[in-house]
Amino acid sequence: QSQLVESGGGLVQPGGSLRLSCAASEFSLNYYDIGWFRQAPGKEREGVSCISKSGGSSTNYKDSVKGRFTISRDNTKNTVYLQMNSLKPEDTAVYYCAAALSRACAYSPWGATRYNYWGRGTQVTVSS
Protein backbone atom coordinates (compact mmCIF):
# COMPACT_ATOMS: atom_id res chain seq x y z
CA GLN A 1 0.00 0.00 0.00
CA SER A 2 1.39 3.34 -1.08
CA GLN A 3 2.19 5.72 1.73
CA LEU A 4 2.25 8.78 -0.52
CA VAL A 5 -0.83 10.03 -2.32
CA GLU A 6 -0.76 12.43 -5.25
CA SER A 7 -3.73 14.51 -6.32
CA GLY A 8 -4.58 17.49 -8.48
CA GLY A 9 -4.01 16.06 -11.93
CA GLY A 10 -6.44 16.48 -14.78
CA LEU A 11 -7.02 17.78 -18.28
CA VAL A 12 -5.92 21.34 -19.00
CA GLN A 13 -5.45 23.40 -22.14
CA PRO A 14 -1.99 24.57 -23.22
CA GLY A 15 -1.00 27.61 -21.22
CA GLY A 16 -3.12 26.55 -18.29
CA SER A 17 -2.17 25.70 -14.72
CA LEU A 18 -2.50 22.83 -12.27
CA ARG A 19 -1.35 22.33 -8.72
CA LEU A 20 -0.34 18.83 -7.72
CA SER A 21 -0.31 17.74 -4.10
CA CYS A 22 1.68 15.00 -2.41
CA ALA A 23 0.43 13.95 1.01
CA ALA A 24 1.37 11.30 3.55
CA SER A 25 -0.86 10.02 6.30
CA GLU A 26 1.47 7.65 8.11
CA PHE A 27 4.66 9.67 8.51
CA SER A 28 5.89 13.23 8.52
CA LEU A 29 7.21 14.54 5.23
CA ASN A 30 9.26 17.06 7.18
CA TYR A 31 12.10 14.57 7.50
CA TYR A 32 12.26 13.68 3.82
CA ASP A 33 13.49 15.22 0.63
CA ILE A 34 10.57 15.12 -1.79
CA GLY A 35 10.88 14.66 -5.52
CA TRP A 36 8.40 14.91 -8.35
CA PHE A 37 8.91 12.60 -11.30
CA ARG A 38 6.87 12.03 -14.45
CA GLN A 39 6.51 9.36 -17.07
CA ALA A 40 4.95 9.87 -20.47
CA PRO A 41 3.72 6.94 -22.60
CA GLY A 42 6.63 5.17 -24.23
CA LYS A 43 9.21 7.23 -22.37
CA GLU A 44 11.39 6.68 -19.34
CA ARG A 45 10.54 8.22 -16.00
CA GLU A 46 12.28 11.55 -15.47
CA GLY A 47 12.81 13.84 -12.54
CA VAL A 48 10.97 17.16 -12.62
CA SER A 49 11.60 18.91 -9.32
CA CYS A 50 12.65 18.29 -5.75
CA ILE A 51 12.79 20.06 -2.40
CA SER A 52 15.00 19.32 0.55
CA LYS A 53 13.63 18.21 3.90
CA SER A 54 12.02 20.77 6.15
CA GLY A 55 14.53 23.30 7.34
CA GLY A 56 16.57 23.10 4.19
CA SER A 57 16.38 25.51 1.32
CA SER A 58 17.44 23.40 -1.61
CA THR A 59 15.22 23.00 -4.64
CA ASN A 60 15.97 21.67 -8.08
CA TYR A 61 14.12 21.80 -11.38
CA LYS A 62 14.52 20.04 -14.67
CA ASP A 63 15.64 22.60 -17.24
CA SER A 64 12.47 22.28 -19.30
CA VAL A 65 10.24 23.31 -16.37
CA LYS A 66 12.35 26.09 -14.86
CA GLY A 67 10.36 29.28 -14.58
CA ARG A 68 7.07 27.43 -15.04
CA PHE A 69 6.93 24.97 -12.12
CA THR A 70 7.33 25.76 -8.44
CA ILE A 71 7.74 23.22 -5.65
CA SER A 72 6.83 24.08 -2.06
CA ARG A 73 5.99 22.59 1.32
CA ASP A 74 3.19 23.16 3.80
CA ASN A 75 4.41 21.52 6.97
CA THR A 76 1.14 22.16 8.80
CA LYS A 77 -0.66 20.04 6.21
CA ASN A 78 2.14 17.50 5.75
CA THR A 79 1.91 18.18 2.04
CA VAL A 80 4.27 19.10 -0.80
CA TYR A 81 2.93 20.96 -3.82
CA LEU A 82 3.99 21.30 -7.42
CA GLN A 83 2.50 24.40 -8.99
CA MET A 84 2.59 24.04 -12.76
CA ASN A 85 1.99 27.08 -14.93
CA SER A 86 2.19 27.68 -18.67
CA LEU A 87 1.64 24.01 -19.29
CA LYS A 88 2.64 22.53 -22.63
CA PRO A 89 1.49 19.36 -24.40
CA GLU A 90 4.90 17.85 -23.71
CA ASP A 91 4.17 18.08 -19.98
CA THR A 92 1.55 15.35 -20.44
CA ALA A 93 2.49 12.41 -18.22
CA VAL A 94 1.72 10.54 -15.05
CA TYR A 95 3.28 12.52 -12.21
CA TYR A 96 4.67 10.75 -9.15
CA CYS A 97 5.96 12.07 -5.86
CA ALA A 98 8.66 10.29 -3.91
CA ALA A 99 10.26 10.68 -0.50
CA ALA A 100 13.94 10.22 0.33
CA LEU A 101 15.53 9.96 3.75
CA SER A 102 18.87 10.88 2.23
CA ARG A 103 19.84 14.30 0.90
CA ALA A 104 18.72 13.29 -2.55
CA CYS A 105 17.66 16.74 -3.70
CA ALA A 106 21.07 18.30 -3.22
CA TYR A 107 23.26 15.45 -4.39
CA SER A 108 21.25 13.21 -6.71
CA PRO A 109 17.89 14.86 -7.40
CA TRP A 110 16.90 12.66 -10.33
CA GLY A 111 18.28 9.41 -8.99
CA ALA A 112 15.13 7.38 -8.48
CA THR A 113 16.93 4.77 -6.39
CA ARG A 114 17.63 7.41 -3.75
CA TYR A 115 13.93 7.66 -2.93
CA ASN A 116 12.43 5.31 -0.37
CA TYR A 117 8.68 5.79 -0.89
CA TRP A 118 6.60 6.44 -3.98
CA GLY A 119 3.03 7.36 -4.71
CA ARG A 120 0.85 5.78 -7.38
CA GLY A 121 0.76 8.85 -9.58
CA THR A 122 -1.72 11.33 -10.96
CA GLN A 123 -2.42 11.88 -14.66
CA VAL A 124 -1.75 15.28 -16.19
CA THR A 125 -2.97 15.82 -19.74
CA VAL A 126 -2.29 19.06 -21.60
CA SER A 127 -4.35 19.25 -24.74
CA SER A 128 -6.65 21.57 -26.62
Side-chain angles (χ1 to χ4, degrees), residues 83-107:
Q83 177 68 44
M84 306 187 299
N85 299 328
S86 302
L87 282 162
K88 304 175 181 180
E90 51 264 43
D91 295 318
T92 295
V94 178
Y95 283 71
Y96 302 88
C97 67
L101 278 169
S102 66
R103 297 182 65 186
C105 191
Y107 296 108

Side-chain angles (χ1 to χ4, degrees), residues 28-96:
S28 172
L29 294 182
N30 294 353
Y31 303 110
Y32 293 82
D33 283 16
I34 303 298
W36 282 98
F37 293 77
R38 67 186 181 188
Q39 188 167 20
K43 295 187 177 181
E44 294 186 353
R45 181 174 52 190
E46 62 178 4
V48 175
S49 181
C50 66
I51 186 168
S52 61
K53 52 182 57 66
S54 183
S57 61
S58 177
T59 59
N60 267 306
Y61 297 92
K62 178 180 172 64
D63 285 346
S64 63
V65 307
K66 284 181 181 178
R68 300 190 297 123
F69 290 12
T70 303
I71 192 169
S72 62
R73 288 180 177 270
D74 186 336
N75 295 332
T76 64
K77 296 182 178 179
N78 202 30
T79 301
V80 172
Y81 302 101
L82 185 68
Q83 177 68 44
M84 306 187 299
N85 299 328
S86 302
L87 282 162
K88 304 175 181 180
E90 51 264 43
D91 295 318
T92 295
V94 178
Y95 283 71
Y96 302 88

